[in-house]
Amino acid sequence: MSTKDYRSKRNFDKTGEPRGSSGRSSSKKPQFVIQKHDSSTLHYDFRIEADGVLKSWAVPKGPSTDPGEKRLAVPTEDHPLEYANFEGVIPEDEYGGGTVLVWDRGSYENVTEKDGEIQPIGKAIEAGHVLIDLRGEKIRGGYALHRTGSGDNARWLLIKMDDEHADARRNPVSTEQKSVKSDRTMKQVANDEGGNDE
Ligand code: MN
């Protein structure tokens, strides 16, 4: 069953009727990727598919599986969807120069609610309150992305939700360091000259 016809007849900016889905025209699930990036400072680029691009945050410490840990997430520029596949070496004299490794990836479900309905992911990001359910190989379950403060004091936090995937003892950032794409270490990716994207 598809709600495409139902949706095509309605303007959901004007009607209060439920969308029946997140509004995507295809049934393909939106993707997320976490890329470990050894640039001027080591960080993890957390990217989620939204409105045809990868919305991106740089997370210095990477994601935690402990709901008690709040991880700073600094917004960065939108990236094209194809970037989720990128693994290799960015030349040192280029923007973001350094080694990039696909640390985790998978699909996600937007579970952000507003007024009892799922709020479109783009709007949720704009509003600064995002709830997503991640289905990665290392990172699973609910995560919140919250913007606090405003103006120059605005900052985002990435926080594990307290669900069955929460685990304060796991620390995948340090215990599961290899690429989920190529099973390589950062060093191996760095040593493969020319930024092998396989
Ligand atoms: Mn980066």
Side-chain angles (χ1 to χ4, degrees):
M1 288 291 286
S2 165
T3 56
K4 206 169 134 209
D5 288 347
Y6 172 86
R7 292 200 305 273
S8 71
K9 292 180 169 68
R10 291 164 175 80
N11 179 343
F12 290 103
D13 290 334
K14 293 181 177 163
T15 176
E17 291 169 292
R19 247 169 224 275
S21 86
S22 63
R24 287 173 61 84
S25 56
S26 87
S27 59
K28 198 166 167 273
K29 287 179 179 161
Q31 302 294 302
F32 82 96
V33 65
I34 302 171
Q35 283 156 319
K36 188 174 180 179
H37 187 186
D38 190 8
S39 189
S40 51
T41 56
L42 182 73
H43 60 273
Y44 293 77
D45 287 300
F46 184 74
R47 310 186 195 280
I48 61 174
E49 180 179 348
D51 300 332
V53 298
L54 291 172
K55 292 286 176 184
S56 300
W57 292 260
V59 182
K61 291 185 176 175
S64 176
T65 54
D66 179 357
E69 284 270 332
K70 296 179 170 70
R71 294 285 160 92
L72 179 67
V74 181
T76 56
E77 73 275 23
D78 297 347
H79 279 54
L81 295 180
E82 297 72 29
Y83 202 88
N85 246 335
F86 177 73
E87 181 171 280
V89 179
I90 302 169
E92 285 300 336
D93 54 351
E94 292 294 313
Y95 177 76
T99 304
V100 176
L101 174 148
V102 178
W103 186 77
D104 199 14
R105 65 180 173 188
S107 64
Y108 80 88
E109 186 183 354
N110 171 30
V111 291
T112 314
E113 283 194 23
K114 201 190 175 195
D115 302 329
E117 288 178 27
I118 296 297
Q119 186 179 36
I121 189 69
K123 289 219 162 66
I125 294 170
E126 256 174 60
H129 292 287
V130 181
L131 278 182
I132 46 181
D133 192 55
L134 302 178
R135 288 105 193 231
E137 294 181 33
K138 300 171 182 171
I139 296 296
R140 292 177 175 276
Y143 276 81
L145 269 164
H146 285 313
R147 187 177 58 217
T148 63
S150 59
D152 288 345
N153 294 319
R155 55 188 217 137
W156 288 76
L157 297 170
L158 177 67
I159 309 161
K160 180 77 195 77
M161 295 287 89
D162 196 359
D163 56 23
E164 71 271 28
H165 297 290
D167 187 344
R169 292 160 305 177
R170 260 187 89 204
N171 188 6
V173 163
S174 67
T175 61
E176 300 171 49
Q177 298 192 9
K178 285 185 178 178
S179 165
V180 294
K181 176 180 176 176
S182 66
D183 205 37
R184 291 182 296 176
T185 63
M186 279 301 259
K187 205 166 195 177
Q188 286 171 320
V189 175
N191 287 342
D192 285 337
E193 215 39 59
N196 178 14
D197 193 29
E198 299 185 32

